[in-house]
């Protein structure tokens, strides 16, 4: 099976590649922009399956299909969960929310294999999907898509989509990413709340703001509270404070 990854966040692309390796799948290449993908498709045999991020560094990934005709099956990946319900109505192979869960990835690959073995054509309505993205991403344009942090003499850019949570510790704010790294951020959690998309991020307590796509499990906790288990973050317990439980349940509902 020939597979490629199109993802603008290199840590996320490398993580997906490692997860595919665990399923005995070796991606042919990892592409990071619309321009790079178009050039690759024009000069290489097309793969059986593409893992395709919807939003790339230089535009929406659908712009690729306006330049080249591609017959490959597609599994979409994105951090924006508002696309999911509508995209599932389309006839693509599957749809994975970031950070990608290993079981969901395995199920998506198996679904593709089943379709591939039956020679069933997998198509999607490009125009319909473009309309979905245009209509739902308008509100997201007002929110931060990346943060910058200082590491020594260097400045690093971190995509909001790769952030599992923000947390406060020792009067400082930190970012925790899907690749198990923590960075100091020169912002307060209070200031962050207005800069983050409310459908994706929620302040569960005085100390934590979490990404809904990072939540692996929700457990009942003492005093009518909830305990959250994230995919990567294991530094401390994340407890939804009692006064925020009702709003949290509405948020995830």
């Amino acid at each position: 099976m020939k597979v490629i990854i199109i993802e603008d966040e290199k840590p996320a692309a490398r993580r997906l590649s490692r997860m595919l390796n665990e399923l005995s799948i070796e991606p042919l290449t990892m592409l990071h922009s619309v321009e790079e993908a178009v050039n690759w498709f024009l000069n290489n045999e097309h793969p059986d399956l593409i893992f395709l991020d919807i939003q790339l560094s230089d535009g929406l990934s659908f712009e690729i299909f306006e330049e080249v005709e591609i017959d490959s099956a597609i599994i979409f990946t994105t951090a924006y969960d508002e696309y999911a319900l509508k995209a599932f109505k389309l006839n693509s192979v599957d749809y994975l929310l970031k950070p990608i869960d290993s079981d969901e990835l395995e199920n998506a690959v198996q679904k593709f294999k089943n379709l591939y073995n039956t020679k069933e054509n997998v198509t999607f309505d490009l125009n319909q999907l473009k309309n979905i993205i245009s209509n739902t991403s308008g509100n997201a344009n007002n929110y931060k898509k990346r943060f910058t942090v200082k590491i020594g003499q260097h400045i690093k850019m971190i995509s909001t989509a790769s952030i599992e949570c923000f947390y406060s510790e020792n009067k400082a704010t930190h970012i925790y990413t899907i690749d198990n790294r923590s960075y100091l951020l020169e912002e307060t959690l209070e200031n962050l709340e207005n800069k983050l998309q409310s459908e994706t991020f929620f302040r569960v307590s005085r100390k934590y703001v979490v990404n809904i796509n990072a939540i692996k499990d929700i457990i009942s906790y003492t005093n009518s509270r909830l305990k959250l288990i994230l995919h990567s973050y294991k530094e401390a317990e994340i407890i939804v404070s009692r006064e925020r439980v009702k709003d949290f349940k509405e948020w995830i509902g």
Side-chain angles (χ1 to χ4, degrees):
M1 178 168 50
K2 298 177 182 178
V3 173
I4 68 167
I5 296 170
I6 304 178
E7 160 68 65
D8 66 332
E9 295 296 327
K10 293 183 180 180
R14 289 193 294 267
R15 179 174 182 267
L16 177 55
S17 180
R18 290 194 299 269
M19 294 172 73
L20 288 170
N21 288 339
E22 293 175 1
L23 299 175
S24 300
I25 298 172
E26 181 70 34
L28 295 173
T29 188
M30 292 184 286
L31 308 171
H32 307 294
S33 68
V34 172
E35 181 180 5
E36 187 179 6
V38 169
N39 289 334
W40 190 89
F41 282 119
L42 289 174
N43 294 285
N44 293 275
E45 181 181 352
H46 294 185
D48 302 311
L49 177 63
I50 303 169
F51 285 89
L52 180 65
D53 188 12
I54 289 177
Q55 293 177 308
L56 301 174
S57 59
D58 57 347
L60 294 175
S61 57
F62 310 115
E63 296 173 22
I64 297 169
F65 308 115
E66 295 173 353
E67 300 293 330
V68 291
E69 185 174 344
I70 297 172
D71 295 325
S72 308
I74 295 171
I75 294 177
F76 292 109
T77 65
T78 187
Y80 290 102
D81 59 331
E82 65 263 32
Y83 300 151
L85 292 178
K86 293 179 180 178
F88 271 132
K89 296 177 182 177
L90 306 175
N91 191 23
S92 60
V93 172
D94 214 333
Y95 194 101
L96 298 173
L97 293 176
K98 300 177 186 177
I100 295 172
D101 178 80
S102 58
D103 290 337
E104 292 178 356
L105 174 62
E106 185 174 4
N107 289 337
V109 169
Q110 187 58 51
K111 180 179 177 182
F112 163 74
K113 288 180 177 178
N114 293 339
L115 292 170
Y116 186 80
N117 289 336
T118 59
K119 304 301 181 183
E120 181 176 339
N121 289 329
V122 180
T123 61
F124 64 96
D125 188 329
L126 176 59
N127 290 329
Q128 185 182 352
L129 198 48
K130 284 171 65 177
N131 289 336
I132 289 171
I133 300 305
S134 298
N135 292 335
T136 57
S137 64
N139 293 333
N141 289 336
N142 297 322
Y143 300 101
K144 287 185 73 70
K145 293 181 174 64
R146 64 185 59 85
F147 289 85
T148 57
V149 296
K150 189 174 181 181
I151 305 175
Q153 299 299 313
H154 302 273
I155 295 177
K156 179 179 178 64
M157 293 186 295
I158 300 174
S159 166
T160 305
S162 70
I163 297 173
E164 278 210 344
C165 67
F166 299 86
Y167 66 95
S168 178
E169 185 177 71
N170 298 325
K171 297 183 178 181
T173 301
H174 302 262
I175 289 172
Y176 198 90
T177 61
I178 61 176
D179 56 347
N180 295 297
R181 295 180 182 273
S182 181
Y183 302 94
L184 184 64
L185 184 66
E186 295 181 356
E187 296 245 22
T188 64
L189 290 185
E190 287 74 17
N191 289 338
L192 281 174
E193 286 187 272
N194 294 327
K195 298 178 180 181
L196 298 169
Q197 191 173 19
S198 59
E199 289 85 359
T200 306
F201 288 91
F202 184 86
R203 188 170 185 181
V204 300
S205 67
R206 183 174 54 84
K207 290 185 61 176
Y208 288 95
V209 173
V210 301
N211 184 334
I212 194 170
N213 300 309
I215 299 174
K216 183 178 182 180
D217 196 7
I218 303 171
I219 305 169
S220 295
Y221 201 67
T222 58
N223 296 324
S224 301
R225 296 176 295 170
L226 298 171
K227 178 180 177 180
L228 304 183
I229 306 297
L230 304 189
H231 288 285
S232 299
Y233 180 84
K234 302 290 187 298
E235 305 302 309
E237 289 188 338
I238 301 179
I239 308 298
V240 182
S241 60
R242 186 165 54 182
E243 63 271 17
R244 297 177 188 262
V245 166
K246 181 180 178 181
D247 289 340
F248 175 80
K249 289 181 176 178
E250 291 179 355
W251 177 64
I252 64 174

